[in-house]
Amino acid sequence: MSILMAGALILSLAACGGGAESNPDIDHNPPFPGGDRPSDKKVTITLQNIYPDPTTPTYKTVHALAAEYEKANPNVHIELDTLNTDQQKMKLKTQAASKEIPDITIVNPSAQMKPFVDAGLLAPLNDVLNKNGLRDTYHPGLLDNYSFDGSVYALPDGYNIEVVFYNKDLFKQAGIDKVPATFEELLAAVKALRAAGITPIAIGEKDSWTGSFLFMNILLRTNEGPGFLKDVLDGKREFDDPAFIEAVDRFQELVQARAFPDGATSIDANASGKIFKSGKAAMWVIGTWETGAVDASSVAGRVGAFPFPTIGGKGDHHEFMLAPGSGFAVAANSQHLKETKEFLGYFALNLPKKQFEYKNAVGLGQIIDGDLKSAGYSDLAIEVAALFSSIKGGDLSFDNTMNPATAQVHLSSIQNLFVQRADSRQVARQHQVAFEAHNEK
């Protein structure tokens, strides 16, 4: 499925822009998706989101679409509850416990959103997708990551891969003349950057998913390809496997080489992005959803991207950590369910056009009919699009694969490695014990 999804992505993100069919509904900006004019009663719809940085294209897109909808629908007010990723996860967990989640909230795909679906907290969105051709705007197979028992429960904001963004000027300043293709070259680059007084890799491990995502790149290589977690789930392997143990060891090599900012666990993901985008760090291992934000920053024009290196001759540069985006879900008990679904339909139909205008279409979950180069997209965006075209496959993140209880043990375990060195076999055993305790078979 991952390969099929990646293949579909190629068609829309190639710099030539050919092959994708345009959706006429996207250009029409229908004020009332579905054709039903809302009633005149005053309605406030809360949209919880994870786009706190006003300099980013996604922040601007969300605010622009909310304002446009309010203008076309004077009786509707869109209240934006804006948080960073970890804050939103914690808040939603508290809200879910009291069954009072916002009208629209953010969920992550697959295993992370399943508990909310099982608890009956989310409304099926098949009716929204079946209006105005919305379903056909998504890349084939992408909605499967947000579907349970034949119903779709969230509309994704993107489909991304994780890459290494790098600052060409800082590489040159440290005497690095080529991007690292192997882990050994990456370690050498880290040491050269430190010697030049430059922070090698920006990361904000206060939001623990960041370290996990980087770690999973390493595991993808030491495992010589995707599927390690699936093998664990299927009972074919355990976390004590040499591939996992080696991944822990390699990750700790980066920590010991001072690859990351001092006090990384006190820096959140948003702040780490600012470190890179202000030119204070040489690399940023993050999803391609940040491409537009990099281009909107002070380092625009000086940044390139490369795939995570191979490790000890193992791994393939054309296999990536895959990141079906976070999704917009609707509360099943929303007091304004009809109006909320109408707004979400409008929002989703117009999201591709608005993101394209803001030069942020690379990594979008919906098909874009447009030529990136002609539209004025940066060399970085076109370079990232080319990486998409090379995808052979990959893995989903740990917390999108394992259940939340096991994932939390993993996130905490990786976070602890930033603070103190640990026996890699004990780390693996900790994972296995947590996995067995939660009966994942």
Side-chain angles (χ1 to χ4, degrees), residues 107-422:
V107 294
N108 286 309
S110 303
Q112 287 198 64
M113 65 181 289
K114 189 175 186 297
F116 299 105
V117 175
D118 291 344
L121 296 173
L122 306 182
L125 300 177
N126 293 25
D127 52 342
V128 177
L129 285 162
N130 292 337
K131 291 181 179 179
N132 299 303
L134 178 59
R135 186 183 296 271
D136 294 334
T137 69
Y138 291 94
H139 293 291
L142 179 57
L143 292 173
D144 293 346
N145 295 283
Y146 311 84
S147 301
F148 299 88
D149 298 324
S151 292
V152 179
Y153 287 90
L155 304 184
D157 64 356
Y159 179 57
N160 294 273
I161 56 176
E162 188 164 35
V163 299
V164 185
F165 290 107
Y166 73 103
N167 187 311
K168 298 176 183 179
D169 288 351
L170 295 184
F171 265 44
K172 183 177 181 180
Q173 186 177 326
I176 305 168
D177 57 7
K178 66 175 184 176
V179 299
T182 69
F183 192 79
E184 293 71 25
E185 290 174 355
L186 179 63
L187 279 175
V190 164
K191 293 173 183 177
L193 288 160
R194 271 296 177 190
I198 300 167
T199 298
I201 303 174
I203 198 167
E205 185 54 12
K206 184 177 181 181
D207 294 334
S208 54
W209 64 268
T210 58
S212 169
F213 215 27
L214 192 157
F215 170 82
M216 289 299 294
N217 279 275
I218 298 175
L219 180 60
L220 179 62
R221 299 293 186 247
T222 59
N223 191 54
E224 300 190 69
F228 180 84
L229 294 184
K230 185 179 184 301
D231 285 347
V232 172
L233 286 167
D234 291 343
K236 298 177 181 178
R237 298 163 82 179
E238 296 187 348
F239 283 102
D240 305 84
D241 189 275
F244 190 87
I245 292 172
E246 182 183 359
V248 176
D249 284 335
R250 296 294 189 156
F251 185 86
Q252 293 196 99
E253 285 183 50
L254 286 175
V255 175
Q256 296 304 311
R258 296 184 63 216
F260 309 113
D262 295 335
T265 56
S266 64
I267 302 169
D268 65 23
N270 188 48
S272 73
K274 290 180 178 178
I275 292 173
F276 179 80
K277 290 181 289 184
S278 63
K280 296 177 182 176
M283 290 176 279
W284 192 20
V285 186
I286 199 73
T288 48
W289 62 79
E290 294 288 356
T291 303
V294 171
D295 277 336
S297 74
S298 63
V299 295
R302 294 181 282 146
V303 173
F306 62 91
F308 199 83
T310 58
I311 296 179
K314 292 181 287 189
D316 188 328
H317 288 141
H318 302 297
E319 292 172 337
F320 295 82
M321 283 305 299
L322 307 171
S326 51
F328 297 96
V330 171
N333 65 349
S334 169
Q335 294 182 14
H336 312 292
L337 188 59
K338 177 176 179 292
E339 292 85 355
T340 297
K341 285 187 171 185
E342 287 169 345
F343 167 66
L344 182 58
Y346 171 89
F347 182 92
L349 275 172
N350 287 279
L351 184 66
K353 178 184 176 183
K354 191 64 69 175
Q355 289 282 61
F356 190 81
E357 290 174 357
Y358 282 124
K359 305 292 189 293
N360 199 40
V362 175
L364 196 64
Q366 290 160 281
I367 294 167
I368 296 290
D369 183 18
D371 186 314
L372 300 183
K373 189 172 183 64
S374 296
Y377 273 68
S378 69
D379 290 342
L380 173 63
I382 294 171
E383 183 178 6
V384 169
L387 290 177
F388 273 105
S389 71
S390 73
I391 297 173
K392 289 182 179 178
D395 278 326
L396 298 184
S397 67
F398 194 105
D399 51 2
N400 281 337
T401 305
M402 295 290 178
N403 78 16
T406 303
Q408 187 54 56
V409 171
H410 164 76
L411 293 172
S412 297
S413 179
I414 297 301
Q415 189 179 55
N416 287 338
L417 297 181
F418 283 85
V419 179
Q420 59 183 4
R421 191 175 183 89

Side-chain angles (χ1 to χ4, degrees), residues 31-49:
F32 309 110
D36 297 325
R37 179 177 291 274
S39 67
D40 292 332
K41 68 178 181 180
K42 298 294 183 182
V43 171
T44 295
I45 296 171
T46 300
L47 170 56
Q48 192 174 81
N49 67 92

Side-chain angles (χ1 to χ4, degrees), residues 77-94:
H77 171 58
I78 309 300
E79 183 175 287
L80 299 174
D81 179 20
T82 302
L83 307 157
N84 70 34
T85 301
D86 272 17
Q87 288 172 341
Q88 188 270 336
K89 284 184 179 180
M90 291 300 297
K91 186 172 184 177
L92 180 59
K93 184 177 180 180
T94 301

